[in-house]
Amino acid sequence: MTKKVKVESAMLAALALVAGAVWYYYRFPAGVAARAGALAVASYKPMSVENSKIHWERLREAQETEYKTAGRDIFSVVLPPIPAPAPFHAPEPGDKDYIPPPPPPPPPPPKFPLKYFGYGAVSEGVARRAFLTDGDAVFVVAEGDTVMGRYRIVKINHLSLEFEEIASGRRGTARLEDQGPAS
């Protein structure tokens, strides 16, 4: 027998089995219904009720409840007018509920006038050096050095340079800038 013949034979047997089952349920429907009903009755479990006494106090409480209207006719399409809002009181200086406004935010950090284009170290254990440029002038500075008499270098990182403006004490950050290839 070929594979195709085996598959067709199996399909024929399955279809014959389904046809026999359908014929049986149509031929003897009362027996099937009776067995289903008997199974349902046999598996029934009544609810467990701890106290089957009627709660008369709850029933009396529900009967004595009185409907109180909220001021609107529930059967009317027209809505009642909206009540006027309470007047708004803005506290002023001198009032006991006055809260002063927060102080203004600090000014933005100063812009560093030089371009941070690199860093390096002379030898092990020595602080890093930053390379700054202002056009043709190049400055090599370490942490703690003063540049242009106005800025103190606080920290040198591989991505940024932290500085402090000496006159105001404000701090800022200058990012490492890529000059690109020499032309």
Side-chain angles (χ1 to χ4, degrees), residues 76-175:
S76 174
V77 176
V78 180
L79 295 175
I82 299 172
F88 176 73
H89 168 68
E92 297 178 2
D95 292 345
K96 58 183 169 184
D97 58 344
Y98 176 73
I99 300 171
K111 173 131 173 67
F112 197 57
L114 303 174
K115 182 178 180 180
Y116 173 44
F117 69 92
Y119 69 94
V122 177
S123 63
E124 285 295 318
V126 179
R128 287 186 177 172
R129 308 268 189 222
F131 304 115
L132 309 171
T133 183
D134 183 21
D136 290 334
V138 175
F139 301 95
V140 179
V141 294
E143 292 178 358
D145 287 354
T146 303
V147 181
M148 299 173 58
R150 290 184 55 197
Y151 302 100
R152 179 177 294 117
I153 305 303
V154 177
K155 185 159 178 113
I156 300 170
N157 292 326
H158 64 282
L159 293 177
S160 63
L161 171 85
E162 294 178 28
F163 63 93
E164 177 183 17
E165 190 176 35
I166 296 173
S168 65
R170 294 184 302 167
R171 290 187 171 216
T173 303
R175 291 265 175 219

